[in-house]
Each structure stands twice: as structure tokens, then as C-alpha cells.
Amino acid sequence: MEIEDYSIPVHTSLMEERQLLGIGEKAFYCILFFTLILSALVSFYCIGIGIIAVLICRRLCRNEPFFIDFLFENLMQQDVYEG
């Protein structure tokens, strides 16, 4: 008996995290939220800032799609990486 005998086949799409416009889902929704708040409170032209932010994130996430999500998760955990 091997461990593969007990495994259940899972479709690969269920094991991968979702991406929106080439960046992680959390990063996209965070940019969207701040863009909507800024456009409602300041000016309609703040939507351009959101578009530029998404383009910058896409460029940063070209090689690693979840780079921004990784930064969001580990931003407040500075003390874990003491050297």
C-alpha cells in the first residue's frame, strides 16, 4: 500500500488560487476598494490612479503572480524574520 492509494483525485483548478487581471484576488479587491472610496470622496479622476496601480501590480507580478498577496500577508509580521 502506498500513500497514492488513499488519495482522492482533485481537479487542478481547485488547488490553484484565483487571479484577477494577472494579480492575486486580494490585491485586486484592495485596489478596487481604495479606488472606489477615493473616487467617491475626492474626484472621479481617481479611477485613473486605480488603473495605474493595477498596471504597476501586473508588472510586479509578472514572474510571481501572488507577490503582492505575499507582501500583504507578511507586511505586519516583521518580527518573525529577526536576524
Side-chain angles (χ1 to χ4, degrees):
M1 287 251 160
E2 293 184 21
I3 199 161
E4 285 84 18
D5 296 334
Y6 296 104
S7 65
I8 298 171
V10 178
H11 197 272
T12 56
S13 66
L14 297 175
M15 295 188 304
E16 297 175 359
E17 292 190 40
R18 292 179 24 189
Q19 295 181 12
L20 293 171
L21 295 177
I23 60 176
E25 195 173 43
K26 295 174 193 170
F28 178 78
Y29 285 131
C30 186
I31 292 171
L32 180 68
F33 174 74
F34 284 118
T35 301
L36 291 175
I37 295 298
L38 281 175
S39 65
L41 295 177
V42 179
S43 171
F44 184 70
Y45 296 112
C46 290
I47 293 175
I49 295 172
I51 293 171
I52 292 171
V54 168
L55 293 175
I56 290 171
C57 286
R58 284 187 68 183
R59 187 153 178 98
L60 287 173
C61 296
R62 183 180 304 152
N63 295 331
E64 179 59 44
F66 298 106
F67 176 69
I68 303 296
D69 285 344
F70 177 78
L71 286 179
F72 282 161
E73 290 174 8
N74 295 313
L75 191 61
M76 301 306 285
Q77 297 179 4
Q78 311 166 38
D79 56 338
V80 175
Y81 302 109
E82 292 179 357

